[in-house]
Amino acid sequence: MTEETPSKIPAFIREAVAEDLKNGRFNYVRTRLPPEPNGYLHIGHVKAFLIDYFTAQEFGGELYLRFDDTNPSKEETEFVDAIEDDASWLGIKWAKVTFASDYFDLLYDWAVRLVQMGFAYVDDQTQEEMSASRGTLPKGTKWSETESALKPGVDSPYRNRSVEENLDLLERMKNGEFAEGSRVLRAKIDMAHPNILLRDPVMYRIMNAHHHRTGDKWHIYPMYDWSHGQNDSMEGVTHSLCSNEYIIHRPLYEWFLQKLEAFPSRQIEFSRLNLTYAMMSKRKVRKLVEEGIVRGWDDPRLTTLRGLRRRGVTPEAIINFVTSTGETKNDSYVEMAQLEAIIRDDLNKRAARRMAVLRPLKLVIDNYPDDMVEEMDAVNNPEDPSAGTRKVPFSKVVYIEQDDFRETPPPKYFRLFPGNEVRLRYGYLVRCTHVVKDDAGNVTEVHCTYDPATKGGDAPDGRKVKSTIHWVSAAHAMKAEVRLYEQLFTVERPDDGDLDSIINPNSLEALTDCYLEPALKNASLSDRIQFERTGYFCLDLDSTPEKPIFNRTVTLKDSWAKEQKKGQVE
RNA sequence: UGGGGCAUGGUGCAAUGGCAGCACACCAGCCUUUGGAGCUGUGGAUCUUGGUUCGAAUCCAGGUGCCCCAGCCA
């Protein structure tokens, strides 16, 4: 009996790759991960990363990390480092790091070959002229409500220049003899092609920008279509996996490689990941950062990898999420609840349990000796016995959660109220006797009596209480700030909306008066902690020993909150 | 009046001609020293019309709906 490890890549990709191996198109597998270094990675990128990585892995192949740095006006080294850092944090391993710019010389040679074969020419038209001569899409598409029909493009007046003239002009473009935007090199395909991408696509444009790696050497830079496939081929990439929007580029991808008789890399597409309440548009996320709506690219409310990371989500949870949602060619929107469920599942297994009171209310145990302190045994993780136990100090005055006391309890409220008995977790059974109020009528102290026979929380007489609440000894508590996060947006699809009207003003609530059990003093940045009954938390990057700060990664499921909500609706 | 892609519960994914299943969400219950976790159960789907077949989510034909494409962005 051999247990097969389940595949982490979708069947349609697995089968396509297997077929290429079987029929001899390739005898090895190499994939590539092609980020453009112009921003930080977000969770939408992870899916593509993982498909590339796992495809190589499953077929015993290798992965290259290749930065697509063909547009010097937008790209920066800062992002190269950040992307490498994020990808390795995820656990992705690559055989080597390359850059599209590593191939600029070879690519230029290939362009010259195409010109020599008569498949490319230099066009002197202005951008407007080129656009106008490309033809139009028919009425009904989003670009054209008024145009009545599809119109074929018309040939550029420069389309039939001689090979010699093209070669000369291309050389001079490369040498920086012409102004930016004055000329381009175009492939010579078909100006009437139904696929507009094949209407003589631009290969090179003139740019005098400074490139982060090649400096000022180049005055022409390749377009995506004249670079990506060629780089794949030059690197011996067998399978170039990308998102559905590139499907229409595939004929062009193949056209170039066929004309050049180059290594036949194969492009395969899949749908990109969409997540509700997540902003995937780089441009819009940048705006959030620039306008100060969030605190930076690593704001825990963002679904950038850095944000998720700072929030306390583990790489394993992210990988579980992406592989469990699966990959197809369907357009889809995964619910944020799905991500949260997987984060909870992951953290439930690994997080140490601790007690923390976020909104404190003083509870005084009147019959407990004034100066007595007891060390109570508390379980670190009921899901993991090997995590052991710890001691938690207990004394006469403790803090409990404001939510855990009601002077007049609503229906089905099991927590503390006058006359009711509850368990202080790992402590004692206590019964509420009376409250103390301030002048405004707010409860400032809850008074209880405890049953000394119930140390640890078990009643020898077998009596049950309906509720167990958490607490922190006032004399031993560690004070901290706790940041609670909610959805950043009020709508499911923030990429579609107008930014100003979709921001949730309550997405961050910073509680500065929280009391934590003393064991939390030893918390480190990599720790994952469950504050019992509240949620999963981790130390924030801004935290210092003098001023500890914790982030809420995700709440626990809260059936009482749900019950209350139901009561409001009905 | 172009080209391309995609249609399975609310959401995401399976079922590769043979009992439509899983996860999340939802609802009900059990259990519980976390109103957590866990467990049990209910409801709910093959876009449509026709065809092939003993048998169709799957194959064929037509229709419908949604998405992508006119950057010297990637």
Side-chain angles (χ1 to χ4, degrees), chain A residues 108-119:
Chain A
Y108 182 79
D109 291 345
W110 283 22
V112 168
R113 277 172 54 199
L114 241 25
V115 172
Q116 285 167 336
M117 288 187 281
F119 290 129

Side-chain angles (χ1 to χ4, degrees), chain A residues 212-507:
Chain A
H212 74 122
R213 287 182 65 86
T214 61
D216 300 315
K217 174 177 177 182
W218 292 89
H219 297 92
I220 55 174
Y221 288 92
M223 300 289 291
Y224 168 87
D225 284 310
W226 175 248
S227 171
H228 200 97
Q230 290 51 249
N231 293 164
D232 286 340
S233 183
M234 290 166 183
E235 291 191 326
V237 165
T238 56
H239 299 276
S240 185
L241 310 173
C242 61
S243 52
N244 283 341
E245 57 201 285
Y246 293 100
I247 288 175
I248 50 167
H249 292 251
R250 196 186 334 122
L252 184 52
Y253 185 103
E254 290 167 351
W255 188 90
F256 279 131
L257 293 185
Q258 277 164 16
K259 293 296 181 235
L260 291 160
E261 296 178 353
F263 180 82
S265 303
R266 202 230 280 212
Q267 173 180 307
I268 300 174
E269 312 84 6
F270 54 85
S271 67
R272 46 188 295 172
L273 173 68
N274 294 298
L275 226 204
T276 61
Y277 297 105
M279 184 164 277
M280 301 294 192
S281 152
K282 252 181 216 171
R283 204 192 83 249
K284 288 194 167 184
V285 174
R286 186 185 304 277
K287 207 174 160 201
L288 290 179
V289 174
E290 283 168 359
E291 292 187 2
I293 294 169
V294 296
R295 296 177 172 187
W297 287 93
D298 64 348
D299 190 294
R301 290 166 292 181
L302 255 20
T303 47
T304 53
L305 239 31
R306 290 168 113 75
L308 259 9
R309 205 169 153 176
R310 183 168 182 176
R311 182 144 171 176
V313 179
T314 68
E316 290 82 1
I318 293 175
I319 291 171
N320 287 346
F321 169 68
V322 171
T323 54
S324 71
T325 50
E327 299 98 1
T328 62
K329 290 174 93 86
N330 302 349
D331 290 348
S332 63
Y333 255 91
V334 181
E335 290 175 340
M336 184 63 87
Q338 183 106 26
L339 208 211
E340 289 179 349
I342 282 177
I343 294 172
R344 282 191 193 101
D345 183 59
D346 174 69
L347 262 16
N348 179 44
K349 290 175 199 141
R350 69 171 82 221
R353 315 292 134 124
R354 296 288 183 265
M355 293 197 283
V357 173
L358 271 29
R359 295 177 176 87
L361 174 61
K362 192 176 280 185
L363 181 143
V364 181
I365 304 163
D366 291 320
N367 61 337
Y368 194 87
D370 284 356
D371 298 322
M372 189 156 91
V373 177
E374 292 181 89
E375 296 289 326
M376 301 303 200
D377 287 307
V379 173
N380 282 330
N381 186 349
E383 303 293 318
D384 177 14
S386 73
T389 62
R390 68 187 185 284
K391 301 285 188 187
V392 185
F394 183 88
S395 63
K396 185 183 180 80
V397 181
V398 301
Y399 290 110
I400 63 167
E401 212 70 64
Q402 288 170 18
D403 268 356
D404 287 340
F405 175 82
R406 293 292 173 84
E407 197 174 10
T408 48
K412 295 184 187 169
Y413 187 85
F414 306 141
R415 278 112 94 147
L416 203 57
F417 52 85
N420 194 37
E421 185 175 53
V422 301
R423 174 167 34 237
L424 294 178
R425 176 151 235 226
Y426 303 125
Y428 289 96
L429 263 37
V430 296
R431 186 179 299 278
C432 176
T433 53
H434 64 286
V435 300
V436 174
K437 294 183 184 179
D438 63 15
D439 294 341
N442 301 310
V443 175
T444 54
E445 280 181 18
V446 176
H447 282 71
C448 291
T449 56
Y450 83 118
D451 177 352
T454 59
K455 182 172 179 182
D458 283 313
D461 63 3
R463 73 180 188 276
K464 302 279 186 200
V465 291
K466 292 207 79 169
S467 187
T468 299
I469 65 175
H470 61 275
W471 51 274
V472 173
S473 167
H476 305 86
M478 153 188 182
K479 208 165 173 188
E481 175 176 336
V482 174
R483 295 176 180 168
L484 307 181
Y485 300 102
E486 285 178 20
Q487 309 290 15
L488 223 202
F489 308 103
T490 56
V491 296
E492 282 195 353
R493 304 190 178 194
D495 280 330
D496 297 344
D498 170 45
L499 216 49
D500 301 321
S501 59
I502 59 171
I503 301 293
N504 172 11
N506 305 315
S507 61

Side-chain angles (χ1 to χ4, degrees), chain A residues 33-37 65-70 79-84 97-102 212-213 231:
Chain A
L33 203 149
E36 184 189 13
L65 173 58
R66 185 179 72 225
F67 288 96
D68 229 335
D69 55 349
T70 57
F79 295 121
V80 172
D81 299 336
I83 289 168
E84 280 194 54
V97 177
T98 64
F99 293 82
S101 53
D102 294 343
H212 74 122
R213 287 182 65 86
N231 293 164

Side-chain angles (χ1 to χ4, degrees), chain A residues 62-76:
Chain A
E62 59 187 8
L63 169 73
Y64 284 1
L65 173 58
R66 185 179 72 225
F67 288 96
D68 229 335
D69 55 349
T70 57
N71 188 342
S73 67
K74 298 166 71 169
E75 295 145 5
E76 295 170 37

